[in-house]
Amino acid sequence: MLFKSLFAATALAVTAIAGTANAEYPERNITMVVPFSAGGPTDTVARLVAESMSKDLGQQVIVENVGGAGGTLGAGRVASADPDGYTILLHHIGMATSATLYRNLAYKPLEAFDYVGLVTDVPMTIVARKDFEPTDLNGLVEYVKANADKVTVANAGIGAASHLCGMMFMSAIQTPLITVPYKGTGPAMTDVLGGQVDIMCDQTTNTTKQIQGGTIKAYAVTSAKRLDIFPDLPTAVEGGLKDFQVGIWHGVYVPKGTPKEAIDKLNASLKKALTDPNVAARFAELGTAPSPDADVTPEALKAKLESEVTRWKPIIEAAGQYAD
Ligand code: ASP
């Protein structure tokens, strides 16, 4: 009897292992963690990509928003998830800046992940509530310098793109301002629209609709050239902010140790999503474009993250401001 049940248990275990080995990934839904609030710019990019990947993979890629601490809570959640291909992360430049800004992170950004590929590089815009007094970038600089004790700047926490861009602005005008952190710039935008906070620097994937609708004021874009969607909006450099140029690159990561088969599938699916005409058209409407195919690779994302950690480290260390 004992022998019989032992035999049956062993046979079951063998079948289960064989089943796993033969099964085609993905067999069930995939969670795509976005480390910021729903309705914000990173979320918008993720949902467009996730929708297209779902069609290709035949399983739902479900976006889960894990906002807070400048994106480090969501990234930490993926770093400690099972490396089985069912929990993935869509994050931006904050992955690189957090490596230096947070000295006590529970995970090491350069070691905790495997890479799927780059997604897009999104310009930032310097915007304000609709009734904010200044009408152009020069006026904005003068006004905030004169009212530094009153002007509030929204961001998505230390290490977020909006934080980085806000710091660049304050350093360019050599004036510290009052910052108001949110779990993402989705909710921050709600407060800019409601007039509870004055200014923000945020991705075009969050600000375009509002700028076009005239519900917020825009002063500049942080790209090297003006954008087709805003031909009248000057670049920050044109507006007089020397060297003020930044692009918010996004990538897809998986926990370290994820099987190559899963990474390859995710990569092929991400590549397809980024050539999906609907995704490309929506990106264009939002002032961005899919990363070139050669960059949608694990190697390109790894190289980008490494070079960006190296680029921002001395800048952050010179500023001497850390998240802890
Ligand atoms: N735009 C945000 C940032 O500052 C993130 C977000 O809400 O997507 O990084």
Side-chain angles (χ1 to χ4, degrees), residues 39-98:
T42 315
D43 181 67
T44 297
V45 167
R47 281 175 200 272
L48 286 168
V49 168
E51 196 189 333
S52 184
M53 286 177 72
S54 300
K55 285 186 210 140
D56 175 57
L57 292 168
Q59 297 287 351
Q60 290 303 308
V61 178
I62 297 166
V63 171
E64 184 183 329
N65 300 90
V66 184
T72 57
L73 296 185
R77 155 122 156 65
V78 177
S80 61
D82 281 343
D84 56 7
Y86 290 97
T87 308
I88 69 178
L89 172 71
L90 190 144
H91 198 356
H92 62 32
I93 191 170
M95 183 72 110
T97 53
S98 64

Side-chain angles (χ1 to χ4, degrees), residues 233-307:
L233 189 61
T235 67
V237 173
E238 277 177 323
L241 297 180
K242 198 169 161 280
D243 297 331
F244 200 114
Q245 229 183 71
V246 64
I248 308 306
W249 54 273
H250 297 59
V252 173
Y253 304 81
V254 288
K256 189 90 183 171
T258 298
K260 184 170 181 316
E261 179 214 355
I263 295 176
D264 288 348
K265 275 255 169 99
L266 289 167
N267 174 263
S269 185
L270 179 63
K271 276 181 181 287
K272 272 196 199 153
L274 295 177
T275 51
D276 177 340
N278 292 329
V279 173
R282 279 296 290 142
F283 274 15
E285 284 167 11
L286 296 170
T288 188
S291 292
D293 192 60
D295 287 347
V296 191
T297 64
E299 298 73 28
L301 176 56
K302 182 173 190 285
K304 181 74 174 179
L305 180 64
E306 287 171 355
S307 71

Side-chain angles (χ1 to χ4, degrees), residues 144-210:
V144 296
K145 281 184 151 194
N147 296 279
D149 55 336
K150 290 206 288 276
V151 174
T152 49
V153 188
N155 69 37
I158 298 181
S162 46
H163 168 254
L164 185 67
C165 188
M167 296 297 287
M168 286 171 68
F169 180 65
M170 292 181 226
S171 132
I173 65 169
Q174 299 199 331
T175 309
L177 301 169
I178 305 159
T179 54
V180 186
Y182 295 80
K183 284 188 176 173
T185 47
M189 178 61 84
T190 305
D191 279 5
V192 174
L193 290 167
Q196 286 91 347
V197 65
D198 297 319
I199 61 177
M200 176 161 73
C201 188
D202 200 19
Q203 288 109 297
T204 54
T205 37
N206 199 32
T207 58
T208 297
K209 204 175 77 200
Q210 313 296 352

